[in-house]
């Protein structure tokens, strides 16, 4: 029966939430079946064209549908692996743990490195001087204000509405997120975790 191996590939995607080792054996079986279907279709297509044997047309159509289905299954398998790898970049950062990295093909590792480089280049282009880390806060903030503690004596800080706040060591403030995030990165403020 055509498509049995391709169905196993898709089933493997459904059963696993993490990145498993690439199933080269099963993919090779699907590709071998696709080659067999293609060769059989070429033979029958030539017979239809040369001998005008229209009785072979339903077989050609059936094999073509099976060939197309197998192709879609292999592409879905590869795409979903790449999607999981891309999600891991956003969740875990630019370096994958060895247990995940060992499950990847060389081509997937190269794709991850290329994606990582493209993402880093884009994030560097966003900020004024240091860029903007898009992976820091995946979920949107619940409130526009953050309670922070001043770690060092900074002095006066003027907010967008003209209000001036004195940032002294060991004082607590409720500041707009956009104002305090650069100061947190500089080490002047820290999130209040009380």
């Amino acid at each position: 029966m055509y498509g049995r191996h391709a169905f196993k590939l898709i089933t493997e995607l459904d059963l696993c939430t993490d990145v498993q080792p690439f199933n080269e054996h099963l993919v090779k079986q699907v590709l071998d079946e696709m080659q067999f279907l293609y060769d059989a279709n070429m033979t029958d297509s030539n017979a239809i064209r040369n001998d005008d044997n229209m009785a072979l047309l339903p077989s050609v159509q059936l094999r073509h549908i099976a060939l197309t289905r197998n192709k879609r299954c292999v592409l879905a398998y590869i795409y979903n692996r790449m999607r999981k790898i891309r999600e891991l970049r956003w969740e875990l950062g630019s370096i994958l743990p060895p247990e995940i990295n060992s499950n990847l093909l060389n081509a997937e590792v190269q794709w991850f490195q290329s994606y990582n480089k493209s993402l880093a280049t884009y994030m560097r282009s966003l900020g004024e001087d240091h860029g903007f880390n898009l992976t820091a806060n995946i979920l949107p903030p619940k409130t526009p204000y953050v309670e922070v503690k001043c770690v060092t004596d900074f002095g006066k800080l003027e907010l967008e509405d003209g209000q001036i706040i004195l940032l002294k060591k060991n004082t607590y403030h409720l500041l707009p997120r956009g104002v305090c995030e650069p100061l947190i990165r500089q080490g002047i403020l820290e999130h209040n975790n009380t």
Side-chain angles (χ1 to χ4, degrees):
M1 173 145 180
Y2 300 135
R4 187 177 307 141
H5 301 299
F7 180 73
K8 285 181 188 175
L9 273 178
I10 299 302
T11 305
E12 183 179 304
L13 285 177
D14 286 340
L15 296 177
C16 303
T17 56
D18 54 344
V19 179
Q20 296 295 315
F22 189 84
N23 197 337
E24 291 181 68
H25 177 69
L26 199 53
V27 170
K28 183 174 179 351
Q29 287 179 327
V30 174
L31 295 176
D32 289 344
E33 181 180 304
M34 290 172 69
Q35 187 64 48
F36 169 77
L37 292 169
Y38 178 79
D39 292 341
N41 269 2
M42 286 303 293
T43 303
D44 287 353
S45 295
N46 288 335
I48 290 171
R49 188 177 321 118
N50 296 336
D51 302 335
D52 202 28
N53 186 357
M54 298 307 283
L56 296 174
L57 189 59
S59 298
V60 171
Q61 290 174 331
L62 176 69
R63 284 191 296 262
H64 179 72
I65 290 169
L67 186 65
T68 304
R69 180 176 183 269
N70 283 355
K71 180 178 76 170
R72 285 196 328 260
C73 289
V74 169
L75 289 175
Y77 180 75
I78 293 170
Y79 171 76
N80 279 293
R81 284 184 61 86
M82 290 176 66
R83 186 179 50 80
K84 287 178 185 179
I85 295 167
R86 184 180 65 218
E87 288 172 3
L88 288 173
R89 168 56 180 99
W90 286 82
E91 292 171 12
L92 302 176
S94 61
I95 300 173
L96 293 176
E99 61 271 8
I100 292 174
N101 212 13
S102 65
N103 291 341
L104 303 180
L105 293 174
N106 284 337
E108 291 173 326
V109 171
Q110 290 173 356
W111 182 87
F112 177 78
Q113 292 170 348
S114 175
Y115 180 75
N116 193 25
K117 185 185 288 185
S118 297
L119 184 61
T121 302
Y122 178 69
M123 288 190 301
R124 274 194 303 272
S125 72
L126 290 178
E128 296 166 5
D129 293 330
H130 303 292
F132 185 75
N133 187 359
L134 295 172
T135 62
N137 296 319
I138 301 294
L139 299 174
K142 293 180 181 176
T143 63
Y145 293 93
V146 179
E147 188 173 346
V148 291
K149 177 183 176 185
C150 189
V151 180
T152 61
D153 287 330
F154 181 73
K156 295 180 181 178
L157 174 70
E158 184 174 355
L159 301 179
E160 292 176 0
D161 62 357
Q163 182 182 4
I164 297 177
I165 296 175
L166 183 60
L167 296 177
K168 292 179 76 176
K169 186 174 183 176
N170 295 328
T171 57
Y172 295 89
H173 304 277
L174 187 63
L175 297 175
R177 187 173 296 276
V179 171
C180 67
E181 288 296 331
L183 295 173
I184 291 172
R185 283 194 293 269
Q186 293 173 16
I188 297 167
L189 300 175
E190 67 181 19
H191 287 283
N192 184 19
N193 295 329
T194 57

